[in-house]
Amino acid sequence: MSQAALRSPPPSADTARPLGGPALTPMALVRAMVLAYQARGMDPASALQQAQITPAQLKKPGASITATQMEVISGAAMRELDDEGLGCFARPLPWGSYGMLARASLTSPTLGVALKRWCRHHGLLAPEAPLAAEVDGEVASIVLRLQRDPGPMAELCAVSLLRNIHGLASWYVDSRVALLGAQFPYSAPRHAGAYAVLFDGPIRFDAEHAAIHFDARYLSLPVRRNEAAMNQLLQRALPLTVRSYRRDRLLVQRVRQVLASRPQDAHNANELAALLNTSPRTLHRQLKDEGASLQRLKDEVRQQLATELLLRSHKPIKQVAEAAGFQNEKSFIRAFKGWTGHSPGDFRSQ
């Protein structure tokens, strides 16, 4: 599987570009590919023509291309250069290298094992760009610590590697792996706004190293793909992107956790969606896909919090209401009666 299958952000709006989709992918990534051609003494004209990128567009500061154009230029460049690393590493990665890595991790029992294998094997191919799957408490990270300065290839190297492994992780478990954030070891580029399309969550630049971060519970999800699915993936021309996965197999758990840990900050769908780095519409749709609803989850979590506080503390009813995420005591009493048939005070005394 090539990095081209995982790098480009998915279409989300209409545009007049020749190859369709919105122009959201930074042209700077294409300019880095052109540098790889120049380093080999090769002409990128054919690849650029296939992607319908003109010389004027290539030179235009702040320009961008569509996901389809990025897919075409990446695939053409990798084949012509016979390098799926696109010049980012000390030695070329022949066509099929990333497919080999993906296949080598396919028999892993869980995503955590698959990612560790993938990172270890990638280090054998490109030792100057080691990747590591790390866990710190409830947060897992895929960390890229470059052992040499890639110069003008720095952005293409970090973005393509992290997008590649993120997309593959989602494919392995057949679930969108929602990111908590991403970081990069270079200053914010002119097109920094495009990173919100490439990566979920807050983006930090001028970091010590590149990394993506996500809920560590994803690591325990089982790998759901088999050899037949892998063969189909390797033959598929369409880009594999994280956002193509509507289902998030941890979403209900993540919603419960936020509602329980930050009830005062999640009074409505807008606030909760912001904490989960998604949109209210997407949140409601994905919960529906999981057979859940936000209101039902809120009621379950609030009832559990309120019950525990009533039975295990001497907090006044007003404080219990606030701790459970209610904005006033009256609405809490009304909700609690609906849940239990008793008022909070009667429930506590009984």
Side-chain angles (χ1 to χ4, degrees):
M1 174 173 40
S2 70
Q3 290 187 43
L6 300 166
R7 182 181 301 115
S8 302
S12 61
D14 293 329
T15 185
R17 293 281 177 161
L19 292 182
L24 300 175
T25 305
M27 185 70 79
L29 301 179
V30 179
R31 286 193 282 268
M33 296 182 203
V34 171
L35 293 178
Y37 273 90
Q38 294 174 351
R40 302 275 187 88
M42 298 174 62
D43 188 355
S46 176
L48 292 169
Q49 185 177 18
Q50 292 178 53
Q52 299 182 18
I53 299 173
T54 67
Q57 290 173 324
L58 182 67
K59 297 177 181 179
K60 185 178 180 180
S64 58
I65 59 174
T66 69
T68 304
Q69 287 176 294
M70 187 63 175
E71 173 70 8
V72 172
I73 185 69
S74 298
M78 288 176 183
R79 288 184 179 277
E80 290 180 1
L81 297 172
D82 193 22
D83 180 11
E84 290 191 350
L86 291 170
C88 291
F89 310 123
R91 61 184 182 185
L93 301 186
W95 181 263
S97 295
Y98 280 98
M100 179 182 66
L101 293 186
R103 194 183 295 277
S105 301
L106 187 62
T107 58
S108 303
T110 64
L111 178 61
V113 175
L115 291 178
K116 287 182 179 179
R117 288 179 179 176
W118 198 97
C119 291
R120 182 171 66 252
H121 294 154
H122 188 272
L124 298 177
L125 296 180
E128 73 278 19
L131 287 151
E134 302 177 357
V135 178
D136 183 7
E138 298 178 348
V139 178
S141 302
I142 301 297
V143 181
L144 170 63
R145 295 184 176 90
L146 293 172
Q147 301 301 302
R148 72 178 182 92
D149 183 4
M153 308 297 287
E155 184 179 23
L156 178 61
C157 178
V159 169
S160 61
L161 273 177
L162 294 180
R163 281 278 298 177
N164 185 38
I165 195 169
H166 183 206
L168 185 61
S170 296
W171 182 82
Y172 274 141
V173 296
D174 191 21
S175 169
R176 179 173 180 171
V177 176
L179 294 184
L180 301 175
Q183 62 184 59
F184 300 91
Y186 44 79
S187 299
R190 178 173 182 173
H191 49 267
Y195 278 67
V197 178
L198 295 166
F199 300 94
D200 295 332
I203 306 296
R204 181 162 65 94
F205 295 99
D206 292 316
E208 183 178 354
H209 51 256
I212 52 174
H213 311 289
F214 52 94
D215 192 315
R217 288 175 293 183
Y218 284 107
L219 297 177
S220 63
L221 292 179
V223 173
R224 296 176 177 270
R225 304 297 188 172
N226 55 25
E227 187 70 19
M230 176 62 71
N231 291 335
Q232 182 180 9
L233 173 66
L234 296 179
Q235 295 173 3
R236 193 164 58 192
L238 294 176
L240 173 64
T241 66
V242 177
R243 294 172 194 266
S244 66
Y245 291 93
R246 290 180 53 164
R247 182 170 189 174
D248 180 347
R249 297 181 185 274
L250 280 188
L251 182 62
V252 171
Q253 296 180 49
R254 294 171 62 225
V255 169
R256 288 182 184 275
Q257 183 180 41
V258 171
L259 290 173
S261 61
R262 302 180 64 175
Q264 300 298 329
D265 300 325
H267 287 125
N268 54 53
N270 290 338
E271 293 176 350
L272 180 60
L275 293 173
L276 294 171
N277 299 316
T278 188
S279 68
R281 181 179 179 182
T282 298
L283 175 62
H284 283 300
R285 187 193 69 231
Q286 291 186 354
L287 285 175
K288 184 178 180 180
D289 291 343
E290 292 296 297
S293 73
L294 179 55
Q295 188 59 51
R296 187 163 67 248
L297 291 174
K298 287 174 66 175
D299 288 344
E300 291 174 0
V301 172
R302 286 177 168 183
Q303 182 179 356
Q304 182 179 0
L305 285 173
T307 300
E308 291 180 355
L309 289 172
L310 289 171
L311 295 179
R312 300 181 183 181
S313 77
H314 299 287
K315 290 178 178 291
I317 301 300
K318 183 177 181 179
Q319 293 183 15
V320 172
E322 293 176 351
F326 286 87
Q327 294 180 315
N328 59 71
E329 186 176 351
K330 288 184 178 180
S331 61
F332 168 60
I333 294 174
R334 183 168 57 252
F336 198 85
K337 283 184 176 180
W339 298 332
T340 66
H342 302 280
S343 69
D346 290 342
F347 181 86
R348 172 179 272 172
S349 64
Q350 292 177 10

